[in-house]
Amino acid sequence: MSDATLTPPAKAERRWLAPTLLALVIVAALYLVVVVYATGEVLLALTLLVIAALAVWIYSAKATYAFRYLFPGIAAALVFVVFPMLYTITIGFTNYSSRNLLEFPRAEAYFLSDTFRAEGSSYEFSLHPAGAEYRGRLVDAESGAAFQFGPLALAADRRLEVAAEPEPAGAAALPEPVTLKELIGHQKALKGITVALPDGRKVGMAGLREFAAVQPLWVKRPDGSLKNQENGSVIRANPVSGFFETEAGEKLQPGFQVGIGWDNYRRIFTEARFREPFVRIFVWTVLFSALTVLFASSLGMLLAVLLNWDALRFKGSYRMLLFLPYAVPGFISILVFKGLFNQNVGEINLILSSLFGIKPQWFSDPLLAKVMLLIVNTWLGFPYMMVICMGLIKAIPADLYEASAVAGAGPLTNFWSITLPLVLKPLTPLLISSFAFNFNNFVLIALLTGGRPDFIDTSVPAGTTDLLVSYTYRIAFQDSGQNYGLAAAISTVIFLMVAAVSLVQMRFTKVVEDEKR
């Protein structure tokens, strides 16, 4: 409906509709930014704020009308590509690990929330259901006096002080107490409750079925240090190591996150325990990626040439059979091959044993394990290359082959002089992307070898079949230290390496094309 056919009230309503919707979107976006910022994700909140600002500008300004259709893709790239990359780079400059998980305020609060049992009476404790909430009952172990508190909802993420009242004589009996299993489930929440008795004393949970007088174990002093009220010792936060340390230098858990600059990158290239496996794994990663691309593309191109042979019968059936490895999910094929290569019961070793009397150690011999990986990855990759090459060969003008036949050239001459040059040029970007994909082919390594057999001369988890990406995963999640900061630094280095190799390959391809011209 055009504006000319609208009544004045309808025109006014339509004029105010767009600003109203825009205002609602802005309010919702700002609310989301505030919620994300409140959780401590400053970088993500900043990213969402930038996206919201761009959205308001693009969808409200006439000069940016053409970008309205591109913006959803740009926003998705910022959230799912740029933000993870920046977040990973940021972590690489910290000591973030399983020993340094918390931010400093949370680590400090952990110490300040710790308590110790002080002198005073102890009370038998039982927890009773009260509808959707609970009531607590305390009984003095010496005098037998009983107190009740509640009802209250138990939440593990809050600290609460409640008042207890004397249990009146003849009061209705409380329901049966909760089971031990349920009590254990509420233990964390109960530890956050302080009960104030009628005489002013305060007690806290000292055991699953006991409350007693407790005091904070640590108190914060004016200089920021923490003093132990039980033994008088003092600990101080070390902003360099990321730990609270005693006067003797002992580091206490939990640690906290601090910025350490380029230390993680320095460790990769200067510490022998990281440098030696890193260099060896990098060399193998490049070889694995290059050989996979070479074998898969060569096999795929060979099959594509054969399937384009006019005299070949049943070509459709062959195409379908050869494409099946690509149609089957990769992880299923990998697990099937893991069984086929089994040393004792695998079909491959059974055949080799029957024919030649040998049983190769596919998973324990480093060289054979690498050969196995190349075989499996070639099997997974050649169908896609075959399909691409078949399409490219179909696009080659038939006149070229007819002229070649008139000149007396054979099939090999046709391949090297016509087919390969015309197919290789459009295939080059795909080969580069395939190299980059296999550079980070984590699934194959994780499912088939797990990076093993391991190096026997390294103190960090590293295997002879590890790629850089699986080596990073083992450092981040499988090592006892779980060093996320170091893993993030390695990930950043991998990204730069892949980008550099891809740029060099693209530049070299361009130079070759220029020379041919």
Side-chain angles (χ1 to χ4, degrees):
M1 182 181 292
S2 64
D3 291 343
T5 60
L6 294 175
T7 61
K11 289 182 178 180
E13 182 179 350
R14 186 171 181 177
R15 186 170 60 252
W16 285 102
L17 180 61
T20 302
L21 290 176
L22 181 62
L24 291 175
V25 171
I26 293 174
V27 171
L30 291 178
Y31 174 77
L32 179 62
V33 170
V34 171
V35 170
V36 173
Y37 179 80
T39 62
E41 298 293 340
V42 179
L43 187 58
L44 179 58
L46 181 61
T47 303
L48 294 176
L49 183 62
V50 170
I51 292 174
L54 286 174
V56 172
W57 176 53
I58 289 174
Y59 287 101
S60 61
K62 294 182 178 180
T64 58
Y65 187 88
F67 294 97
R68 297 180 183 184
Y69 304 98
L70 300 175
F71 180 74
I74 296 174
L78 289 175
V79 173
F80 298 110
V81 178
V82 176
F83 169 73
M85 183 174 63
L86 293 178
Y87 189 71
T88 301
I89 293 174
T90 302
I91 292 177
F93 290 96
T94 69
N95 66 339
Y96 187 33
S97 68
S98 58
R99 301 180 65 199
N100 303 86
L101 282 173
L102 305 178
E103 300 287 345
F104 174 75
R106 293 186 61 187
E108 185 181 57
Y110 175 86
F111 284 100
L112 294 176
S113 65
D114 202 1
T115 60
F116 72 100
R117 181 168 177 171
E119 294 182 359
S121 301
S122 63
Y123 300 82
E124 296 178 3
F125 167 70
S126 58
L127 185 66
H128 304 262
E133 299 179 316
Y134 297 89
R135 290 189 66 88
R137 186 172 187 267
L138 303 177
V139 179
D140 193 322
E142 297 179 358
S143 65
F147 305 89
Q148 292 186 18
F149 61 90
L152 49 86
L154 299 178
D157 57 349
R158 66 172 180 173
R159 303 190 67 81
L160 184 67
E161 181 173 321
V162 297
E165 299 178 352
E167 186 175 75
L174 292 173
E176 288 293 322
V178 300
T179 62
L180 180 61
K181 180 179 179 180
E182 190 175 354
L183 183 62
I184 293 174
H186 293 302
Q187 184 179 10
K188 187 175 181 180
L190 291 170
K191 283 188 174 182
I193 295 176
T194 300
V195 180
L197 299 175
D199 60 2
R201 290 177 296 167
K202 295 181 180 181
V203 295
M205 194 174 195
L208 274 176
R209 299 193 183 278
E210 181 185 18
F211 268 57
V214 293
Q215 292 184 8
L217 180 61
W218 302 95
V219 293
K220 189 173 182 179
R221 303 200 303 183
D223 62 354
S225 61
L226 304 182
K227 182 179 180 180
N228 189 310
Q229 295 195 104
E230 187 175 17
N231 56 28
S233 62
V234 176
I235 59 174
R236 291 179 171 82
N238 187 333
V240 177
S241 66
F243 290 94
F244 280 89
E245 299 179 357
T246 64
E247 294 178 342
E250 179 186 358
K251 297 177 181 178
L252 303 182
Q253 291 284 354
F256 52 90
Q257 299 177 39
V258 294
I260 58 175
W262 297 91
D263 188 59
N264 284 324
Y265 296 91
R266 179 189 59 78
R267 294 175 66 189
I268 295 173
F269 298 106
T270 60
E271 289 190 19
R273 67 191 186 106
F274 291 112
R275 183 184 66 250
E276 292 177 1
F278 182 87
V279 172
R280 284 184 281 183
I281 292 173
F282 170 71
V283 173
W284 159 239
T285 302
V286 174
L287 286 175
F288 169 79
S289 305
L291 291 175
T292 294
V293 172
L294 176 63
F295 295 155
S297 59
S298 299
L299 182 58
M301 187 175 296
L302 174 63
L303 293 173
V305 171
L306 293 176
L307 290 174
N308 276 283
W309 182 27
D310 294 333
L312 183 65
R313 300 179 61 187
F314 309 113
K315 289 189 290 186
S317 300
Y318 296 145
R319 290 193 187 102
M320 182 183 68
L321 291 174
L322 291 172
F323 188 73
L324 283 179
Y326 191 75
V328 176
F331 76 93
I332 294 179
S333 297
I334 294 170
L335 294 178
V336 168
F337 271 104
K338 189 172 184 178
L340 293 175
F341 279 103
N342 185 279
Q343 177 186 343
N344 298 316
V345 297
E347 285 77 1
I348 292 177
N349 270 15
L350 291 177
I351 295 173
L352 292 176
S353 178
S354 299
L355 296 177
F356 308 106
I358 59 173
K359 285 189 175 182
Q361 307 285 332
W362 295 106
F363 290 92
S364 57
D365 183 272
L367 179 59
L368 292 178
K370 293 177 179 179
V371 171
M372 176 180 63
L373 284 172
L374 290 172
I375 292 173
V376 176
N377 211 28
T378 300
W379 170 265
L380 296 173
F382 85 84
Y384 181 68
M385 291 294 182
M386 179 189 70
V387 173
I388 295 297
C389 291
M390 287 173 59
L392 295 174
I393 292 174
K394 285 290 186 182
I396 299 175
D399 297 346
L400 296 177
Y401 293 106
E402 293 175 1
S404 176
V406 171
L412 290 178
T413 303
N414 288 340
F415 176 78
W416 292 108
S417 301
I418 299 176
T419 305
L420 184 61
L422 294 178
V423 168
L424 191 59
K425 182 178 179 180
L427 192 63
T428 299
L430 180 62
L431 296 178
I432 294 174
S433 63
S434 179
F435 177 89
F437 171 80
N438 285 291
F439 202 93
N440 295 310
N441 196 343
F442 172 77
V443 175
L444 176 66
I445 305 301
L447 293 181
L448 191 57
T449 66
R452 294 169 179 81
D454 285 342
F455 292 116
I456 60 175
D457 57 348
T458 61
S459 58
V460 296
T464 54
T465 60
D466 265 322
L467 303 182
L468 285 176
V469 63
S470 61
Y471 172 60
T472 303
Y473 176 82
R474 295 178 70 175
I475 288 178
F477 300 108
Q478 293 186 342
D479 181 22
S480 58
Q482 295 186 343
N483 197 327
Y484 309 125
L486 180 63
I490 297 176
S491 299
T492 304
V493 173
I494 294 174
F495 165 74
L496 295 175
M497 286 180 174
V498 174
V501 171
S502 300
L503 289 174
V504 170
Q505 288 178 328
M506 294 176 67
R507 179 63 179 171
F508 176 76
T509 304
K510 184 177 180 181
V511 169
V512 172
E513 292 177 357
D514 293 340
E515 290 178 352
K516 289 182 179 180
R517 294 174 184 172

